[in-house]
Amino acid sequence: MSRAPGSARARVGLEVSQVVELPRPRTPGDGEPARMYAVVTVTVHRPGTAPAPGEAHASGKAGPRLAEVLLIDHSSSMVIPPSRLAAARAAASSALARIPDGALFALVAGGDRAAMIYPRRPEFAVAHAESRAAAEAALRDCTPGGGTAMGTWLERARQLFRDLPATGPGGHVRHALLLTDGKNEPGYESPAELRERVERCARAFDCDVVGIGDAWETEELLLIAGALGGRTRAVADLTRLPDELAALTGSAAERDVTGLRLRLHHRAGVRPYSFERVHPTRATLTPDRTDLTGVEAGAGGPVEEYGLGPCGEETRAYLLCVGAPYDPAQLGKELLLTEVEVDAEGPAEHLELPEPRPVLVRWTDDADLYSRLDPQVAHYRHEEELHRTFEEACAELKRGARDAAQALLGTAWRLAGQVGDTAMRDHLLHLVRVTDAERGRVELLDHIPRFDVEAARIQSSVTVLPGARRGTRRAGPR
């Protein structure tokens, strides 16, 4: 893959953070291989931003255009109260205003089926002042009604995106924005049908999801956004809705780095256990492709490949867990487990790609070495503990066990402080009164609206980056 120098269009950084030491097995060959954890961080720098130390520049060319589908709930519930539909239409107009001239867009009304608002035919329009005005007029004339079947809305978006290439000449950033005030209704779409339709849309486009009102189902919104690489937002104040949709659409327009792929080359005998995205949102990932040719030929372990989707100026982090095979003859030696590589589909003259980074292991009897915790690995495992604890608290609240919920929310408050998640703490303050911040002692509020609980659940799916990164062993180029 070409890594030509020149003036930068986009620069990609890659880092692996881990403690390489593992304790020597006392009974080699028994049980599963020891687990090695490492955090893989990919950072993308767009034009006009300073490169990170050690990162080079690349020559560039014009990036892909945005193709945006706005999926706006027009079910019957959107007119109760009428201000809800008015706010949704104002927000859609704000989103339309952020779609750049020359980009493609479509506006879809979501009910128990998906109906085109603009254009009337199932195709894209080209964004300019006249087409935006026509879309707003069509939106005002659209009559709400019927139930809710969000999977059909996503299917319509998939059909619209079907013939648009994501990379290469003429490529597009394929993005959808779904706004709803409710949940799927069994008479129109079952949970299994929604999941099946979401899975069909995976990798076809990215989708951000916004919930308004308080009747939406958190699991449905997180399912859609998690599978389609997006973010979930819960908006209580409808006056903020236009700014929220405008910001999400503007961010999509800036994700003009496409085609990046993360490839894991495992050594022979290494067992891949899991690969999770841990920032900005958490999701367990399945590879787009797993190549077992090397395994069958005895040349190495499996090669797993993951598409990163469109990127802007951002950092994404992943937690890798692999099983490390032990060889007594290699005690004390630093060994390669997995090589991590960022590559790109098609020509990459518009990118500066990083050198591969290794995930290593060194077997030792020195407890001072193998008992250390890598700060980044520890950070994201604490984030997972925060999420799990908060979900347990919500389950206790639902069944009326207030004392158990209160204790768990106190733990969640303490964990949020440890990882520096101030946004999560802000959400917790809608549920509890803090009596001892340092020890995590809290009291449940007398009245807790459903929206505040579910909004906090959505927030707990979002993670923060680690703070100071001191005392970390980073694996550099071999």
Side-chain angles (χ1 to χ4, degrees):
M1 180 57 62
S2 170
R3 293 174 172 82
S7 61
R9 176 178 178 269
R11 303 173 301 282
V12 184
L14 176 64
E15 179 184 278
V16 170
S17 184
Q18 64 169 141
V19 168
V20 302
E21 288 82 13
L22 284 177
R24 175 172 62 92
R26 298 305 176 191
T27 53
D30 287 354
E32 293 187 343
R35 294 178 181 247
M36 171 60 74
Y37 291 90
V39 170
V40 175
T41 304
V42 178
T43 305
V44 177
H45 300 279
R46 297 173 67 249
T49 58
E55 292 181 358
H57 296 263
S59 60
K61 59 183 180 182
R65 289 190 298 168
L66 174 68
E68 181 76 36
V69 178
L70 300 178
L71 305 169
I72 307 300
D73 194 335
H74 269 65
S75 62
S76 298
S77 63
M78 286 291 287
V79 296
I80 308 171
S83 59
R84 188 173 297 172
L85 183 61
R89 289 175 172 174
S93 296
S94 292
L96 287 170
R98 293 295 298 271
I99 297 174
D101 285 346
L104 303 181
F105 77 96
L107 192 54
V108 175
D112 47 71
R113 60 185 182 87
M116 295 296 299
I117 299 177
Y118 188 86
R120 297 298 298 174
R121 297 177 59 187
E123 60 188 18
F124 282 104
V126 178
H128 48 71
E130 292 79 8
S131 63
R132 291 191 196 91
E136 289 184 33
L139 180 62
R140 288 192 297 271
D141 291 340
C142 184
T143 302
T148 302
M150 287 182 282
T152 65
W153 315 355
L154 298 170
E155 279 284 359
R156 174 54 59 90
R158 185 176 70 88
Q159 292 161 9
L160 287 166
F161 287 123
R162 183 170 48 201
D163 298 325
L164 293 182
T167 58
H172 290 80
V173 174
R174 300 176 298 191
H175 181 259
L177 179 54
L178 186 154
L179 182 147
T180 185
D181 77 329
K183 58 186 177 182
N184 268 13
E185 298 170 52
Y188 298 113
E189 185 174 53
S190 69
E193 288 172 324
L194 174 61
R195 184 173 292 277
E196 180 182 340
R197 285 168 174 153
V198 168
E199 289 173 354
R200 279 204 296 268
C201 294
R203 305 183 182 94
F205 59 94
D206 287 356
C207 185
D208 294 317
V209 184
V210 177
I212 59 175
D214 63 358
W216 38 267
E217 196 66 55
T218 303
E219 285 78 5
E220 291 177 349
L221 304 194
L222 292 176
L223 166 68
I224 294 169
L228 305 186
R231 293 280 295 270
T232 306
R233 303 283 176 86
V235 180
D237 181 359
L238 293 181
T239 64
R240 288 184 43 243
L241 193 59
D243 288 343
E244 196 76 43
L245 263 63
L248 290 169
T249 307
S251 295
E254 294 175 354
R255 295 188 196 118
D256 55 1
V257 180
T258 62
L260 292 178
R261 305 192 69 78
L262 196 59
R263 194 172 294 124
L264 308 178
H265 301 263
H266 301 292
R267 197 188 86 198
V270 170
R271 182 183 300 181
Y273 282 124
S274 63
F275 190 65
E276 305 168 80
R277 185 180 67 235
V278 290
H279 182 79
T281 57
R282 61 170 56 81
T284 299
L285 304 179
T286 55
D288 298 345
R289 186 175 69 87
T290 300
D291 184 1
L292 299 176
T293 304
V295 179
E296 294 165 356
V303 178
E304 299 177 296
E305 195 168 280
Y306 300 84
L308 298 189
C311 298
E313 178 76 13
E314 60 186 286
T315 297
R316 301 185 186 182
Y318 305 84
L319 182 62
L320 171 66
C321 178
V322 295
Y326 174 67
D327 181 353
Q330 303 298 326
L331 182 65
K333 297 179 181 178
E334 202 167 76
L335 307 172
L336 175 70
L337 291 176
T338 300
E339 186 173 72
V340 183
E341 177 187 25
V342 176
D343 208 340
E345 295 178 0
E349 64 270 14
H350 61 296
L351 292 169
E352 176 65 22
L353 297 176
E355 294 298 322
R357 298 288 190 267
V359 177
L360 305 169
V361 66
R362 183 168 60 236
W363 302 99
T364 180
D365 292 321
D366 189 338
D368 289 338
L369 295 177
Y370 67 67
S371 61
R372 295 179 301 158
L373 290 178
D374 176 81
Q376 292 196 54
V377 172
H379 172 85
Y380 288 114
R381 296 190 77 176
H382 279 129
E383 283 272 20
E384 176 57 34
E385 185 182 0
L386 167 61
H387 173 74
R388 185 174 60 252
T389 300
F390 185 73
E391 283 294 306
E392 291 173 1
C394 291
E396 296 293 350
L397 271 179
K398 184 176 291 188
R399 71 183 189 90
R402 289 179 61 88
D403 289 346
Q406 180 172 283
L408 288 164
L409 290 172
T411 301
W413 174 269
R414 180 174 49 78
L415 288 169
Q418 287 180 5
V419 300
D421 195 337
T422 56
M424 187 62 192
R425 278 194 160 185
D426 288 342
H427 279 273
L428 287 170
L429 289 175
H430 291 278
L431 313 180
V432 299
R433 182 185 306 105
V434 180
T435 58
D436 189 331
E438 186 175 341
R439 297 182 182 181
R441 292 177 180 172
V442 301
E443 293 178 355
L444 276 177
L445 299 181
D446 293 335
H447 175 66
I448 301 176
R450 179 184 183 276
F451 178 92
D452 290 336
V453 175
E454 300 306 314
R457 291 184 65 199
I458 285 174
Q459 182 60 44
S460 77
S461 72
V462 180
T463 63
V464 297
L465 287 169
R469 299 180 179 181
R470 296 185 297 270
T472 302
R473 170 66 185 274
R474 284 181 178 78
R478 288 185 298 131

